[in-house]
Amino acid sequence: MNLPKFVEMIEVCPRDGFQNIHDLIPFDTKVAVIKQLATAGYQRIEICSFVSPKAIPQMADAVEVVASTRDVLKSNGVKTAALVPNARGVETAVACGIDELTYVISVSEKHNMANVKRTPEESMEEFKALIGRYGDKVRFRLSLATALGCPFGEEIRTERVLEMAKFGFELGCEEVMIADTVGMANPVRVSSLMTALVHAYGPDKFIMHLHDTRGLALANTLAAMQLGLHKFESAVGGLGGCPFAPGAAGNVASEDVLNMLTEMGVETGVSADALNEAVMLIREGVHAPIVSHMAGLYKKSTCV
Ligand code: COA
Ligand code: ZN
């Protein structure tokens, strides 16, 4: 098989994992999980979003969460990422010292309207303005949501994804994220879309963000890896989902990705024991089912 030697795993549980959980997670639990993840060997962790608390109540304490975890993340050499939807979010993120900002635009018009109340064109205009205003202060990456399937039935054309990726690169983004927001992709679809993107820009420019709604996220990961893609987001415990995308379920679980990569001899620098500890903190403090294969095994072994 054609596999990269090293894959960068990017952890998104504190943002994507937590945002969809109905019951407010205690502040101390959020901080404890992030501090634990900081020791796991990640290079980058998306620790929160700076969004309207009406849209995502779970992120209302993001500034305080960042303040309480910044030192541990820094001392472990972890770069921080946060999702932002508008200028207010960017200003708060810059003031908090976040290293990288994820600006999300949906390829699907209906999902973009549901998620951020703008058409994709309006979001693109806003992103351009944000880069003009803040591009010298912080690194931006463009996240193309629903790039592999739309929950509202819109057709997602490869040409449109290419066009939106080009827009991001022309604005100066070093990376564009390709998100399967609702977990609708399959390995053939991943392969055909990513072949076109990799052909145009090379594999180093893309981050894959895959959800496991239909159990295909690891297969999709493998399909992408065979094209040389080597940056993958995941969430410990398999938590996650967009509250504005009907049917969205968890991100692919970090511990499952790590297990697959390790078993295949691909290096990540991430520690399975450290993820196990994070899973235990989530079990204790977060009201959400843990959806991962490896967490089930951890559970058995810790019960012995
Ligand atoms: N941080 C904190 N508060 C914010 C904010 C931000 N970045 N952006 C807006 N707000 C507040 C406003 O102050 C306003 O509060 P008020 O009603 O008390 O005055 C309220 O949120 C609504 O603001 P408005 O500018 O009218 O936004 P909107 O209602 O048109 O919503 C978004 C647009 C983009 C701000 C909102 O839909 C959002 O935050 N979406 C995020 C979606 C998301 O994270 N999805 C999951 C990830 S893909
Ligand atoms: Zn997601």
Side-chain angles (χ1 to χ4, degrees), residues 68-105:
S68 299
T69 53
R70 191 178 13 225
D71 290 349
V72 180
L73 288 156
K74 205 168 181 186
S75 63
N76 282 282
V78 182
K79 292 238 179 300
T80 50
L83 183 142
V84 291
N86 55 14
R88 174 147 173 214
V90 177
E91 265 166 30
T92 313
V94 170
C96 287
I98 300 289
D99 297 304
E100 293 183 6
L101 303 187
T102 309
Y103 187 83
V104 61
I105 308 179

Side-chain angles (χ1 to χ4, degrees), residues 136-149:
D136 56 344
K137 295 189 179 69
V138 67
R139 189 177 134 117
F140 281 92
R141 63 181 176 215
L142 174 60
S143 167
L144 297 180
T146 65
L148 286 152

Side-chain angles (χ1 to χ4, degrees), residues 222-233:
L222 196 52
M225 282 169 68
Q226 297 204 52
L227 300 170
L229 291 148
H230 55 88
K231 302 176 194 180
F232 290 87
E233 294 199 336

Side-chain angles (χ1 to χ4, degrees), residues 10-31:
I10 303 169
E11 179 60 49
V12 299
C13 179
R15 195 278 299 173
D16 199 330
F18 289 170
Q19 73 183 7
N20 203 21
I21 292 172
H22 178 266
D23 294 347
L24 289 182
I25 302 167
F27 177 79
D28 290 347
T29 300
K30 288 183 188 170
V31 169

Side-chain angles (χ1 to χ4, degrees), residues 15-16 19-20 46 49-56 59-60 83-92 103-106 111-118 126 143 145 181 209 241-245:
R15 195 278 299 173
D16 199 330
Q19 73 183 7
N20 203 21
E46 192 167 63
S49 53
F50 297 103
V51 294
S52 161
K54 286 185 184 136
I56 310 272
M59 292 293 144
L83 183 142
V84 291
N86 55 14
R88 174 147 173 214
V90 177
E91 265 166 30
T92 313
Y103 187 83
V104 61
I105 308 179
S106 232
H111 181 253
N112 209 60
M113 289 300 298
N115 197 34
V116 290
K117 303 186 186 172
R118 289 156 171 78
E126 182 166 19
S143 167
T181 309
H209 177 102
C242 172
F244 306 105

Side-chain angles (χ1 to χ4, degrees), residues 108-179:
S108 148
E109 175 147 0
K110 284 195 177 124
H111 181 253
N112 209 60
M113 289 300 298
N115 197 34
V116 290
K117 303 186 186 172
R118 289 156 171 78
T119 64
E121 280 68 26
E122 286 167 344
S123 284
M124 286 160 88
E125 274 309 305
E126 182 166 19
F127 188 45
K128 197 171 166 184
L130 289 174
I131 294 226
R133 204 159 138 202
Y134 300 97
D136 56 344
K137 295 189 179 69
V138 67
R139 189 177 134 117
F140 281 92
R141 63 181 176 215
L142 174 60
S143 167
L144 297 180
T146 65
L148 286 152
C150 163
F152 301 104
E154 266 177 48
E155 188 197 352
I156 304 294
R157 291 179 305 107
T158 295
E159 295 68 35
R160 179 62 176 154
V161 182
L162 269 164
E163 205 175 274
M164 291 176 79
K166 180 168 184 252
F167 161 81
F169 291 132
E170 283 180 356
L171 283 181
C173 294
E174 284 167 37
E175 294 170 320
V176 167
M177 190 192 304
I178 300 298

